[in-house]
Amino acid sequence: MSTLEVTTAKVTNLNDGAKTVATTSINTGHAKAWLNYAQVGNSIHESFNVSSVTDNTTGHFTKNYTNSMSQENHVVGCTSAETGGTGPGADRYISLARGSNRIATGSAQFASGDVSDQMVTLRDQNMNCTSSHGDLA
């Protein structure tokens, strides 16, 4: 067996599209999955460890993992943007499972400028970004 010791490595041409690092070897603290998804048009722009997205209904979608999380209590962050919308995006996760997350997306409209007075209208967003943190199964 040979050993290759490298201080700095640079990939200059990777044409096969393959992921070069297995998701099981990602260090603690790094995102175990992420997604950039347009619910308008049902299109995945970029993703990692996401096998598919299910468009459930207006303002609701499910992100399905390729490799499941080890437990349901993992961390999910999400945000969205709407071109020509009436306000900033307001996202939240509805349910967490080891193999998927259900996300609600909407447009936040502030009644009096106070976040506690916001009214959210569920709607499909042009860009939904989520990341998932925790241990893989």
Side-chain angles (χ1 to χ4, degrees):
M1 177 193 292
S2 299
T3 301
L4 175 64
E5 191 172 318
V6 178
T7 304
T8 304
K10 179 180 178 183
V11 176
T12 57
N13 189 6
L14 184 62
N15 292 322
D16 64 2
K19 304 291 184 204
T20 58
V21 178
T23 56
T24 54
S25 67
I26 297 175
N27 295 332
T28 302
H30 291 96
K32 300 306 189 296
W34 49 264
L35 171 69
N36 181 337
Y37 167 69
Q39 195 173 11
V40 175
N42 195 26
S43 173
I44 296 175
H45 297 297
E46 294 286 338
S47 69
F48 177 71
N49 194 26
V50 175
S51 61
S52 64
V53 176
T54 304
D55 186 352
N56 301 309
T57 187
T58 300
H60 289 260
F61 69 90
T62 300
K63 173 180 68 176
N64 302 296
Y65 296 124
T66 301
N67 298 295
S68 295
M69 304 300 283
S70 65
Q71 59 180 337
E72 292 178 4
N73 294 330
H74 56 280
V75 176
V76 175
C78 46
T79 188
S80 67
E82 178 184 16
T83 303
T86 58
D91 292 3
R92 68 179 189 276
Y93 66 86
I94 296 173
S95 65
L96 295 176
R98 293 179 64 227
S100 65
N101 307 131
R102 186 163 178 172
I103 311 291
T105 65
S107 179
Q109 300 173 6
F110 301 99
S112 65
D114 183 358
V115 174
S116 64
D117 290 335
Q118 68 178 315
M119 300 173 289
V120 176
T121 303
L122 292 177
R123 63 179 74 208
D124 292 353
Q125 300 286 21
N126 296 320
M127 183 177 68
N128 300 281
C129 297
T130 73
S131 64
S132 303
H133 301 265
D135 294 328
L136 292 173

Coordinates of all heavy atoms in Angstrom, one line a residue, residues 49-111:
N49 N -26.6 16.0 -1.0 CA -27.3 15.0 -0.2 C -28.8 15.2 -0.2 O -29.5 14.9 0.8 CB -26.8 15.0 1.3 CG -27.2 13.8 2.0 OD1 -27.5 12.7 1.5 ND2 -27.3 13.9 3.3
V50 N -29.4 15.7 -1.3 CA -30.8 15.8 -1.5 C -31.2 14.9 -2.8 O -30.7 15.2 -3.8 CB -31.3 17.2 -1.7 CG1 -32.7 17.3 -2.1 CG2 -30.9 18.1 -0.5
S51 N -32.0 13.9 -2.5 CA -32.4 13.0 -3.6 C -33.5 13.6 -4.5 O -33.5 13.3 -5.7 CB -32.8 11.6 -3.1 OG -33.9 11.8 -2.3
S52 N -34.4 14.3 -3.9 CA -35.5 14.9 -4.6 C -36.3 15.9 -3.8 O -36.0 16.0 -2.6 CB -36.5 13.8 -5.1 OG -37.1 13.2 -3.9
V53 N -37.1 16.7 -4.4 CA -38.0 17.6 -3.7 C -39.4 17.3 -4.2 O -39.7 17.1 -5.3 CB -37.6 19.1 -4.0 CG1 -38.6 20.0 -3.4 CG2 -36.2 19.4 -3.6
T54 N -40.3 17.3 -3.2 CA -41.7 17.0 -3.5 C -42.5 18.3 -3.3 O -42.4 18.9 -2.2 CB -42.3 16.0 -2.5 OG1 -41.6 14.8 -2.6 CG2 -43.8 15.7 -2.9
D55 N -43.2 18.8 -4.3 CA -44.0 20.0 -4.3 C -45.4 19.6 -3.7 O -46.2 19.1 -4.5 CB -44.1 20.7 -5.6 CG -44.8 22.0 -5.6 OD1 -45.4 22.4 -4.6 OD2 -44.8 22.7 -6.6
N56 N -45.6 19.8 -2.4 CA -46.8 19.3 -1.8 C -48.1 20.1 -2.2 O -49.1 19.5 -2.5 CB -46.7 19.3 -0.3 CG -45.5 18.4 0.2 OD1 -45.4 17.3 -0.2 ND2 -44.6 19.0 1.0
T57 N -48.0 21.4 -2.1 CA -49.1 22.3 -2.4 C -48.5 23.7 -2.3 O -47.3 23.9 -2.1 CB -50.2 22.1 -1.3 OG1 -51.3 22.9 -1.7 CG2 -49.8 22.6 0.1
T58 N -49.3 24.7 -2.6 CA -48.8 26.1 -2.6 C -48.1 26.4 -1.2 O -48.8 26.3 -0.2 CB -50.0 27.1 -2.8 OG1 -50.6 26.8 -4.1 CG2 -49.5 28.5 -2.8
G59 N -46.9 26.8 -1.3 CA -46.2 27.2 -0.1 C -45.6 26.1 0.7 O -45.1 26.3 1.8
H60 N -45.7 24.9 0.3 CA -45.2 23.7 1.1 C -44.5 22.8 0.1 O -44.9 22.4 -0.9 CB -46.4 22.9 1.6 CG -47.1 23.6 2.8 ND1 -46.9 23.3 4.1 CD2 -48.1 24.6 2.7 CE1 -47.7 24.0 4.8 NE2 -48.4 24.8 4.0
F61 N -43.2 22.4 0.6 CA -42.5 21.4 -0.2 C -41.7 20.5 0.8 O -41.5 20.9 2.0 CB -41.5 22.0 -1.2 CG -40.4 22.8 -0.6 CD1 -39.2 22.2 -0.4 CD2 -40.5 24.2 -0.4 CE1 -38.1 22.9 0.1 CE2 -39.4 24.9 0.1 CZ -38.2 24.2 0.4
T62 N -41.3 19.3 0.3 CA -40.6 18.4 1.2 C -39.2 18.2 0.5 O -39.1 17.8 -0.6 CB -41.3 17.1 1.3 OG1 -42.6 17.3 2.0 CG2 -40.5 16.1 2.2
K63 N -38.2 18.3 1.3 CA -36.8 18.0 0.9 C -36.5 16.6 1.4 O -36.6 16.3 2.5 CB -35.8 19.0 1.5 CG -34.4 18.7 1.3 CD -33.5 19.8 2.0 CE -33.5 19.7 3.5 NZ -32.6 20.6 4.2
N64 N -36.1 15.7 0.4 CA -35.9 14.3 0.7 C -34.4 14.1 0.6 O -33.7 14.4 -0.3 CB -36.6 13.4 -0.3 CG -38.1 13.7 -0.3 OD1 -38.7 13.4 0.7 ND2 -38.6 14.2 -1.4
Y65 N -33.8 13.5 1.7 CA -32.4 13.2 1.8 C -31.9 12.0 1.0 O -32.7 11.0 0.9 CB -31.9 13.0 3.2 CG -32.1 14.2 4.1 CD1 -32.9 14.2 5.3 CD2 -31.5 15.4 3.8 CE1 -33.0 15.3 6.1 CE2 -31.7 16.6 4.6 CZ -32.4 16.4 5.8 OH -32.6 17.5 6.6
T66 N -30.8 12.0 0.4 CA -30.1 10.8 -0.1 C -29.7 9.9 1.0 O -30.0 8.7 1.0 CB -28.9 11.2 -1.0 OG1 -29.4 12.1 -2.1 CG2 -28.3 10.0 -1.7
N67 N -29.0 10.5 1.9 CA -28.5 9.8 3.1 C -29.2 10.4 4.3 O -29.0 11.6 4.6 CB -27.0 9.9 3.3 CG -26.2 9.3 2.2 OD1 -26.3 8.1 2.0 ND2 -25.6 10.1 1.4
S68 N -30.0 9.6 5.1 CA -30.8 10.1 6.2 C -29.9 10.6 7.3 O -28.8 10.2 7.5 CB -31.7 9.0 6.7 OG -32.6 8.6 5.7
M69 N -30.5 11.5 8.1 CA -30.0 12.0 9.3 C -30.1 10.9 10.4 O -31.0 10.0 10.3 CB -30.6 13.3 9.8 CG -30.6 14.4 8.7 SD -29.0 14.9 8.2 CE -28.5 15.9 9.6
S70 N -29.3 10.9 11.5 CA -29.3 9.9 12.5 C -30.5 10.0 13.4 O -30.9 9.0 14.0 CB -28.0 9.9 13.3 OG -27.9 11.1 14.0
Q71 N -31.1 11.2 13.5 CA -32.2 11.4 14.4 C -33.1 12.5 13.8 O -32.7 13.3 13.0 CB -31.8 11.7 15.8 CG -31.0 12.9 15.9 CD -30.6 13.2 17.4 OE1 -31.2 12.8 18.3 NE2 -29.5 14.0 17.6
E72 N -34.3 12.5 14.3 CA -35.3 13.5 13.8 C -34.9 14.9 14.3 O -35.2 15.9 13.7 CB -36.7 13.2 14.3 CG -37.2 12.0 13.6 CD -38.6 11.6 14.0 OE1 -39.2 12.3 14.8 OE2 -39.1 10.5 13.5
N73 N -34.2 15.0 15.5 CA -33.9 16.3 16.1 C -32.6 16.9 15.5 O -31.7 17.2 16.3 CB -33.9 16.2 17.6 CG -35.2 15.9 18.2 OD1 -36.2 16.2 17.7 ND2 -35.2 15.2 19.3
H74 N -32.6 17.1 14.2 CA -31.4 17.8 13.7 C -31.8 19.3 13.4 O -33.0 19.7 13.5 CB -30.9 17.1 12.4 CG -32.0 16.9 11.3 ND1 -32.9 15.9 11.4 CD2 -32.2 17.6 10.2 CE1 -33.7 16.0 10.3 NE2 -33.3 17.0 9.6
V75 N -30.8 20.1 13.0 CA -31.1 21.5 12.7 C -31.3 21.8 11.3 O -30.6 21.3 10.4 CB -29.8 22.3 13.2 CG1 -30.0 23.8 12.9 CG2 -29.6 22.1 14.7
V76 N -32.3 22.5 11.0 CA -32.6 23.0 9.6 C -32.8 24.5 9.6 O -33.5 25.0 10.4 CB -34.0 22.3 9.1 CG1 -34.3 22.8 7.7 CG2 -33.8 20.8 9.1
G77 N -32.1 25.1 8.7 CA -32.2 26.5 8.5 C -32.8 26.8 7.1 O -32.5 26.0 6.2
C78 N -33.6 27.7 6.9 CA -34.2 28.0 5.6 C -34.5 29.5 5.4 O -34.7 30.2 6.4 CB -35.5 27.2 5.4 SG -36.7 27.2 6.8
T79 N -34.4 29.9 4.2 CA -34.8 31.2 3.8 C -35.3 31.2 2.3 O -35.1 30.2 1.6 CB -33.5 32.2 3.9 OG1 -33.9 33.5 3.7 CG2 -32.5 31.8 2.9
S80 N -35.9 32.3 1.9 CA -36.5 32.3 0.5 C -36.5 33.7 0.0 O -36.3 34.7 0.7 CB -37.9 31.7 0.5 OG -38.8 32.6 1.2
A81 N -36.7 33.8 -1.3 CA -36.8 35.1 -2.0 C -37.8 35.0 -3.1 O -38.0 33.9 -3.7 CB -35.5 35.5 -2.6
E82 N -38.5 36.1 -3.3 CA -39.6 36.1 -4.3 C -39.4 37.3 -5.2 O -39.4 38.4 -4.8 CB -40.9 36.2 -3.7 CG -42.1 36.2 -4.6 CD -43.4 36.4 -3.9 OE1 -43.4 36.8 -2.7 OE2 -44.4 36.2 -4.5
T83 N -39.2 37.0 -6.5 CA -39.0 38.1 -7.5 C -40.3 38.8 -7.7 O -41.4 38.2 -7.9 CB -38.5 37.5 -8.9 OG1 -37.3 36.8 -8.7 CG2 -38.3 38.6 -9.8
G84 N -40.3 40.1 -7.5 CA -41.6 40.9 -7.7 C -42.6 40.7 -6.6 O -43.8 41.0 -6.7
G85 N -42.1 40.2 -5.4 CA -43.0 39.9 -4.3 C -43.4 41.1 -3.5 O -43.0 42.2 -3.8
T86 N -44.3 40.8 -2.5 CA -44.8 41.9 -1.7 C -44.1 42.1 -0.4 O -44.4 42.9 0.4 CB -46.3 41.6 -1.4 OG1 -46.4 40.4 -0.7 CG2 -47.1 41.7 -2.7
G87 N -43.0 41.3 -0.2 CA -42.3 41.4 1.1 C -41.2 40.4 1.1 O -41.1 39.6 0.2
P88 N -40.4 40.4 2.2 CA -39.3 39.4 2.3 C -39.9 38.0 2.5 O -41.0 37.8 2.9 CB -38.6 39.9 3.6 CG -39.6 40.6 4.3 CD -40.5 41.3 3.3
G89 N -39.1 37.0 2.1 CA -39.5 35.6 2.3 C -39.6 35.3 3.8 O -38.8 35.8 4.6
A90 N -40.5 34.4 4.2 CA -40.6 33.9 5.5 C -40.8 32.4 5.5 O -41.8 32.0 5.0 CB -41.8 34.6 6.2
D91 N -39.7 31.7 5.8 CA -39.8 30.2 5.8 C -39.7 29.6 7.2 O -39.2 30.2 8.1 CB -38.6 29.7 5.0 CG -38.6 30.0 3.5 OD1 -39.6 30.7 3.1 OD2 -37.8 29.6 2.8
R92 N -40.2 28.4 7.3 CA -40.1 27.7 8.5 C -40.2 26.2 8.2 O -40.9 25.9 7.2 CB -41.0 28.1 9.6 CG -42.5 27.8 9.3 CD -43.4 28.2 10.4 NE -44.7 27.7 10.3 CZ -45.7 28.3 9.5 NH1 -45.4 29.4 8.9 NH2 -46.9 27.8 9.4
Y93 N -39.6 25.3 9.0 CA -39.8 23.9 8.7 C -41.1 23.5 9.5 O -41.4 24.1 10.6 CB -38.6 23.1 9.1 CG -38.3 23.0 10.6 CD1 -38.9 22.1 11.4 CD2 -37.3 23.9 11.1 CE1 -38.6 22.1 12.8 CE2 -37.0 23.9 12.5 CZ -37.7 23.0 13.3 OH -37.4 22.9 14.6
I94 N -41.9 22.6 8.9 CA -43.1 22.2 9.5 C -42.9 20.9 10.2 O -43.4 20.6 11.3 CB -44.2 22.0 8.4 CG1 -44.5 23.4 7.8 CG2 -45.5 21.4 9.0 CD1 -45.5 23.3 6.6
S95 N -42.1 20.0 9.6 CA -41.8 18.7 10.2 C -40.4 18.2 9.9 O -39.9 18.5 8.8 CB -42.9 17.6 9.8 OG -42.7 17.4 8.4
L96 N -39.8 17.6 10.9 CA -38.5 17.0 10.7 C -38.7 15.5 10.8 O -39.3 14.9 11.6 CB -37.6 17.4 11.8 CG -37.2 18.9 11.9 CD1 -36.3 19.1 13.1 CD2 -36.5 19.3 10.6
A97 N -38.0 14.8 9.9 CA -37.9 13.3 9.9 C -36.5 13.0 9.6 O -35.7 13.8 9.1 CB -38.9 12.7 8.9
R98 N -36.1 11.7 9.8 CA -34.7 11.3 9.5 C -34.4 11.4 8.0 O -33.3 11.7 7.6 CB -34.5 9.9 10.0 CG -34.5 9.8 11.6 CD -34.3 8.4 12.1 NE -33.0 8.0 11.7 CZ -32.7 6.8 11.2 NH1 -33.6 6.0 10.9 NH2 -31.4 6.5 10.9
G99 N -35.4 11.2 7.2 CA -35.2 11.1 5.7 C -35.7 12.3 5.0 O -35.5 12.4 3.8
S100 N -36.3 13.3 5.7 CA -36.9 14.5 4.9 C -37.3 15.6 5.9 O -37.3 15.4 7.1 CB -38.2 14.0 4.2 OG -39.2 13.6 5.1
N101 N -37.5 16.8 5.3 CA -38.0 17.9 6.0 C -39.2 18.5 5.2 O -39.0 18.6 4.0 CB -37.0 19.0 6.2 CG -35.7 18.6 6.8 OD1 -34.7 18.9 6.2 ND2 -35.7 17.9 7.9
R102 N -40.2 18.9 5.8 CA -41.3 19.7 5.2 C -41.1 21.1 5.5 O -41.0 21.5 6.7 CB -42.7 19.2 5.6 CG -43.7 19.8 4.8 CD -45.1 19.1 4.8 NE -46.0 19.9 4.0 CZ -47.2 19.4 3.7 NH1 -47.6 18.3 4.2 NH2 -48.0 20.2 3.0
I103 N -41.1 22.0 4.5 CA -40.9 23.4 4.6 C -42.1 24.2 4.2 O -42.7 23.8 3.1 CB -39.6 23.8 3.7 CG1 -38.4 22.9 4.0 CG2 -39.3 25.3 3.9 CD1 -37.8 23.0 5.3
A104 N -42.4 25.2 4.9 CA -43.5 26.2 4.5 C -42.8 27.5 4.0 O -41.9 28.0 4.7 CB -44.4 26.5 5.6
T105 N -43.2 28.0 2.9 CA -42.7 29.3 2.4 C -43.8 30.3 2.2 O -44.9 30.0 1.9 CB -42.0 29.1 1.0 OG1 -42.9 28.7 0.1 CG2 -40.9 28.0 1.1
G106 N -43.4 31.5 2.4 CA -44.4 32.6 2.2 C -43.8 33.9 2.1 O -42.6 34.1 2.1
S107 N -44.6 34.9 2.0 CA -44.2 36.3 1.9 C -44.6 37.0 3.2 O -45.8 37.0 3.6 CB -44.8 37.0 0.7 OG -44.4 38.3 0.6
A108 N -43.6 37.6 3.9 CA -43.9 38.3 5.2 C -44.3 39.8 4.8 O -43.6 40.5 4.1 CB -42.7 38.3 6.1
Q109 N -45.4 40.2 5.4 CA -45.8 41.5 5.3 C -46.0 42.1 6.7 O -46.7 41.5 7.5 CB -47.2 41.6 4.5 CG -47.0 41.1 3.1 CD -48.4 41.0 2.4 OE1 -49.4 41.4 2.9 NE2 -48.4 40.4 1.3
F110 N -45.4 43.2 7.0 CA -45.4 43.7 8.3 C -46.5 44.8 8.5 O -46.5 45.8 7.8 CB -44.0 44.3 8.7 CG -42.9 43.3 8.6 CD1 -42.1 43.2 7.5 CD2 -42.7 42.4 9.6 CE1 -41.1 42.3 7.4 CE2 -41.8 41.4 9.5 CZ -40.9 41.4 8.4
A111 N -47.4 44.5 9.4 CA -48.6 45.4 9.6 C -48.1 46.7 10.2 O -48.6 47.8 9.9 CB -49.6 44.7 10.5

